[in-house]
């Protein structure tokens, strides 16, 4: 089969979702209203609450939720076969991710920009709030600690990516100042992209690296510390100064990358060499169901999206109706990235024959980011004629910048959670932005170096929990949205069905992993996995109690 067929069917499906299904959900279910005063206007403080152009906000939201996850997940999950991966990405984007992300934006905006954990107190109950926020903090801790390691590893392995990665920050600072002074967005975007890609080209000739040992630590460990110092500073800056323009530029860079990859598919029309359903899996390979649905999270549906939507994006929403553009279209963009990742790692660009493909994908977890960069670079070379080395650098920088923007937003979100704890429990010291940021960064570094020693790789120890924990969080977010809709006497079936499906898949995946961790005698993961599973059950029971009580009160009033 030619990859162009997969691309056409997937894109058409997601576009139908955008033009029809998202309009229906926005108008008939969420009832988005331009007259509603968003928190960005009501609480405008020039730092976190800032009314933002929906295109710029889309760039921030898209790149913050994307990270490297919509590349890593699909590039691993294709091991089970490209058909289940494509189906979950396309249908997940249309009916799960788009509704989840738009709904989280809407729910948070209706509660003064509170995070999903904080607003769950008024929607479900105070007990659920504390439980909810534990899961959110755990997910953020995983993401920040691991993405710091991922970027550091990339800087060590790809010194050509260091110069363009830091140049992107300088470009973003300049653009932030120009946007503040009302400069036209389109010319700035064009100039910013040109400078960014010029830095990518220059990076090929200016490899930058740290000494192998410095201050008694390896180069990777020093990069981790530098990255968290940067993330701490970035999280305290006003969103218009760095976060928005950095994410916007990265969003535009992704559009260029998607244009190159999708264009290469139409020009080269490569065949698919991966099996539709892989029948030659290794003996110890876990079952496709439920593991597929937690392996591909970003690109189908992801709880981390709800944290970003309710943590930073809702505070910048200019109009409530912008939630459809930012949330649903952001999910479509991520679905497109996941789809082209599947094509890049499934075709002749990566492996010329089915036999070669099976050599690359010898077991679950093989391939991943390296397969995407190799397959994508060969695909671009075949379609556009660009040198493979330059194409590889483009894709490597794209992965690094995405991971960086997610880390930027992740530390800021951790700071919000800690400040919310300060408000909830009346701990004045935690209400300070500086103190909350220091606590957030300290916990990440404590995990990185406390569990991983001088290598700084401690975050990888709890990373295996991310898949099921992240999807359980997505189901909890959909639950909060559903309870809000029920209380408003609106149809909740469009969020309850995705919630139930994701919860069942994630819960059973968590049970499978719990057994796996126990047999491996990894008791830290056993404990954390058990905590997440128990918390999710308690929140669901609390929500069911609230819904039942509300229904009884309705009947009594009638």
């Amino acid at each position: 089969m030619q990859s162009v067929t997969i691309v056409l069917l997937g894109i058409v499906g997601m576009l139908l979702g955008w033009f029809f299904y998202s309009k229906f959900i926005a108008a008939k279910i969420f009832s988005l209203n331009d007259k509603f005063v968003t928190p960005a206007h009501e609480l405008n403080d020039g730092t976190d609450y800032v009314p933002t152009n929906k295109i710029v906000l889309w760039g921030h939201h898209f790149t913050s939720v994307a990270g490297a996850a919509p590349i890593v997940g699909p590039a691993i999950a294709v091991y089970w076969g490209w058909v289940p991966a494509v189906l979950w990405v396309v249908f997940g984007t249309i009916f799960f991710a788009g509704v989840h992300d738009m709904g989280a934006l809407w729910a948070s905006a209706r509660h003064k920009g509170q995070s999903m954990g904080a607003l769950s107190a008024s929607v479900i109950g105070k007990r659920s709030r504390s439980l909810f926020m534990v899961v959110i903090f755990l997910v953020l801790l995983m993401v920040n600690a691991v993405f710091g390691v991922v970027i550091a590893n990339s800087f060590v392995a790809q010194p050509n990516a260091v110069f363009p990665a830091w140049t992107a920050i300088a470009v973003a600072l300049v653009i932030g100042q120009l946007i503040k002074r009302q400069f036209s967005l389109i010319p700035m975007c064009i100039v910013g992209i040109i400078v960014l890609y010029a830095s990518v080209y220059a990076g090929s000739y200016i490899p930058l690296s740290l000494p192998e040992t410095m201050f008694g630590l390896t180069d990777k460990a020093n990069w981790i510390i530098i990255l968290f110092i940067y993330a701490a500073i970035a999280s305290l800056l006003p969103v218009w100064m760095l976060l928005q323009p950095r994410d916007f530029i990265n969003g535009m860079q992704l559009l260029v990358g998607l244009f190159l990859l999708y264009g290469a598919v139409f020009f080269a029309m490569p065949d698919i060499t991966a099996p539709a359903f892989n029948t030659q899996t290794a003996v110890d390979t876990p079952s496709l169901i439920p593991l597929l649905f937690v392996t591909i999270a970003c690109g189908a549906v992801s709880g981390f999206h709800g944290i970003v939507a309710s943590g930073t994006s809702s505070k910048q929403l200019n109009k409530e109706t912008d939630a459809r553009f930012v949330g649903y279209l952001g999910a479509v963009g991520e679905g497109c990235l996941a789809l082209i990742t599947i094509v890049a790692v499934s075709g002749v660009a990566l492996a010329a024959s089915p036999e070669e493909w099976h050599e690359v994908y010898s077991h679950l977890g093989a391939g991943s980011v390296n397969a995407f960069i190799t397959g994508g670079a060969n695909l671009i070379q075949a379609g556009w004629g660009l040198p493979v080395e330059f194409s590889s650098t483009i894709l490597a920088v794209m992965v690094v910048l995405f991971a960086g923007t997610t880390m930027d937003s992740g530390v800021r979100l951790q700071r919000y959670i800690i400040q919310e704890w300060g408000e909830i429990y009346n701990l004045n010291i935690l209400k300070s932005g500086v103190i909350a940021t220091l606590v957030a960064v300290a916990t990440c570094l404590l995990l990185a170096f406390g569990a991983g020693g001088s290598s700084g790789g401690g975050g990888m120890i709890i990373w295996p929990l991310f898949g099921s924990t992240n999807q359980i969080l997505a189901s909890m977010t959909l639950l909060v949205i559903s309870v809000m809709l029920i209380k408003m006497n609106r149809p909740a079936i469009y969020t309850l069905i995705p919630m139930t499906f994701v919860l069942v898949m994630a819960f059973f995946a968590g049970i499978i992993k719990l057994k796996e961790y126990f047999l491996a005698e990894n008791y830290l993961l056993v404990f954390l996995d058990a905590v997440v599973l128990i918390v999710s059950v308690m929140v669901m029971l609390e929500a069911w109690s609230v819904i039942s009580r509300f229904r009884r009160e309705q009947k009594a009033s009638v």
Side-chain angles (χ1 to χ4, degrees), residues 107-108 111 114-133 136 420-421 423-425 476 479-481 483-484 487 539 542-543 546 549:
S108 178
H111 290 82
Q114 288 183 316
S115 70
M116 293 305 300
L119 69 86
S120 66
S122 56
V123 177
I124 300 177
K126 290 184 178 179
R127 281 179 295 187
S128 69
R129 175 183 62 191
S130 300
L131 299 170
F132 211 124
M133 291 177 74
I136 291 175
E420 285 180 346
W421 275 334
E423 294 287 345
I424 292 167
Y425 300 110
M476 292 166 70
L479 174 66
V480 172
I481 298 168
V483 175
M484 280 184 64
K487 286 185 172 182
V539 171
E542 186 78 14
V546 170
R549 185 171 66 250

Side-chain angles (χ1 to χ4, degrees), residues 432-465:
S432 165
V434 174
I435 298 298
T437 299
L438 290 175
V439 172
V441 170
T443 55
C444 292
L445 290 175
L446 184 62
L447 174 61
F449 289 95
S454 61
S455 70
M460 293 298 182
I461 293 174
I462 65 171
W463 182 248
L465 274 175

Side-chain angles (χ1 to χ4, degrees), residues 396-415:
V397 170
M398 188 170 77
V399 171
V400 167
L401 290 183
F402 272 7
T405 54
T406 300
M407 188 177 169
D408 285 2
S409 296
V411 173
R412 185 179 290 263
L413 289 166
Q414 262 191 298
R415 189 246 295 175

Side-chain angles (χ1 to χ4, degrees), residues 38-60:
T38 63
H41 290 282
E42 181 184 359
L43 305 173
N44 189 346
D45 61 3
T47 300
D48 297 321
Y49 293 84
V50 179
T52 304
N53 178 289
K54 67 179 182 181
I55 299 176
V56 175
L57 183 55
W58 173 86
H60 153 69

Side-chain angles (χ1 to χ4, degrees), residues 51-189:
T52 304
N53 178 289
K54 67 179 182 181
I55 299 176
V56 175
L57 183 55
W58 173 86
H60 153 69
H61 180 80
F62 180 25
T63 53
S64 293
V65 301
I71 295 172
V72 175
I76 292 175
V78 77
Y79 179 73
W80 284 295
W82 63 263
V83 168
V86 167
L87 290 177
W88 175 227
V89 164
V90 175
F91 286 103
T93 295
I94 297 170
F95 298 108
F96 291 70
V99 176
H100 172 278
D101 294 15
M102 176 168 50
L105 274 170
W106 166 72
S108 178
R110 287 281 170 167
H111 290 82
K112 299 186 182 298
Q114 288 183 316
S115 70
M116 293 305 300
L119 69 86
S120 66
S122 56
V123 177
I124 300 177
K126 290 184 178 179
R127 281 179 295 187
S128 69
R129 175 183 62 191
S130 300
L131 299 170
F132 211 124
M133 291 177 74
V134 167
V135 178
I136 291 175
F137 188 83
L138 186 58
V139 168
L140 287 172
L141 185 63
M142 291 178 191
V143 169
N144 292 336
V146 170
F147 274 32
V149 175
V150 168
I151 299 170
N153 286 340
S154 297
F155 280 169
V156 172
Q158 298 273 352
N160 292 345
V162 175
F163 179 73
W166 292 103
T167 299
I169 296 172
V171 171
L173 287 168
V174 173
I175 290 179
Q177 296 296 328
L178 295 177
I179 290 177
K180 190 71 173 176
R181 289 163 175 75
Q182 306 298 317
F183 276 67
S184 178
L185 188 61
I186 294 177
M188 283 192 298
C189 172

Side-chain angles (χ1 to χ4, degrees), residues 238-295:
V239 290
W240 61 265
M241 186 177 291
L242 178 59
L243 186 68
Q244 287 178 351
R246 173 170 159 79
D247 290 353
F248 179 68
I249 284 294
N250 287 346
M252 295 303 102
Q253 184 232 3
L254 173 62
L255 290 181
V256 173
L258 289 176
F259 175 76
L260 290 174
L261 289 167
Y262 275 100
V265 169
F266 286 101
F267 288 144
M269 293 191 175
D271 289 328
I272 295 295
T273 55
F277 296 92
N278 190 4
T279 58
Q280 301 179 37
T281 56
V283 176
D284 60 346
T285 302
S287 171
L288 181 150
I289 297 174
L291 269 300
L292 170 72
F293 303 101
V294 299
T295 302

Side-chain angles (χ1 to χ4, degrees), residues 30 43 51 199 291 295 304-305 355 366 385 435 514 540 551-552:
F30 297 144
L43 305 173
S199 71
L291 269 300
T295 302
F304 181 71
H305 293 200
E355 292 74 23
I435 298 298
L514 189 67
M540 296 296 164
R551 292 299 193 197
R552 288 195 300 270

